[in-house]
Amino acid sequence: MKNFMQEFKDFALKGNVLDLAIGVVIGAAFGKIVSSLVDNIIMPLVGMILGGVSFSDLHVVVGSADLKYGLFIQSVVDFVIIALSLFVFIKVLIGLTKRRKEEEEAAPEEVNKSEEYLKEIRDLLQAKKVD
């Protein structure tokens, strides 16, 4: 039992698991913000453009079932906005990472004087071995 608890502690405290947990919490908060944007700003504007239609009221009654397809449309819009936001965020992040990597590769390697002298000595010693 003690070995199991130690393994679980090692797993739970790894950096990747903590990063994932933070990402899930931030993602949930971001989802709420996008849902509020869609529910309170975008869909009322779309409804007004379409002649005063309230998407949250759109439904069809089939037997005893109430099919609220207007809420489904809002959920689809939520998803599209979240997916687009994540795509743009990841695209920008990859671009910044790529740019930083290119800058690091393009930066000349600084060599101090003692390293330069040691390289010259090494080269001279290798030249003497060849002779």
Side-chain angles (χ1 to χ4, degrees):
M1 183 67 167
K2 187 175 183 179
N3 189 27
F4 174 78
M5 292 302 289
Q6 182 62 38
E7 287 178 14
F8 178 73
K9 181 181 173 185
D10 292 342
F11 168 76
L13 296 179
K14 282 186 180 179
N16 294 342
V17 174
L18 294 175
D19 292 343
L20 179 62
I22 291 169
V24 167
V25 170
I26 290 174
F30 181 71
K32 287 181 181 181
I33 291 170
V34 171
S35 292
S36 177
L37 173 72
V38 170
D39 295 344
N40 300 316
I41 296 174
I42 294 175
M43 295 312 282
L45 289 174
V46 171
M48 192 170 52
I49 291 170
L50 296 176
V53 176
S54 173
F55 278 84
S56 60
D57 294 337
L58 295 177
H59 66 279
V60 172
V61 177
V62 178
S64 62
D66 188 14
L67 305 176
K68 299 179 180 182
Y69 67 91
L71 294 176
F72 176 74
I73 293 171
Q74 283 183 318
S75 295
V76 170
V77 173
D78 278 355
F79 172 78
V80 169
I81 291 174
I82 290 172
L84 180 65
S85 300
L86 288 174
F87 173 75
V88 170
F89 176 75
I90 291 172
K91 191 84 166 159
V92 168
L93 186 65
I94 288 172
L96 290 174
T97 304
K98 186 177 179 181
R99 185 180 308 150
R100 181 183 294 159
K101 186 176 180 182
E102 289 172 353
E103 289 173 358
E104 288 175 0
E105 290 175 355
E109 185 179 319
E110 293 183 24
V111 179
N112 63 27
K113 289 289 185 184
S114 62
E115 287 180 7
E116 193 174 313
Y117 292 139
L118 288 171
K119 287 180 181 179
E120 288 177 14
I121 292 170
R122 179 197 64 203
D123 294 342
L124 288 171
L125 290 173
Q126 285 179 347
K128 280 191 174 186
K129 280 185 178 179
V130 172
D131 294 337

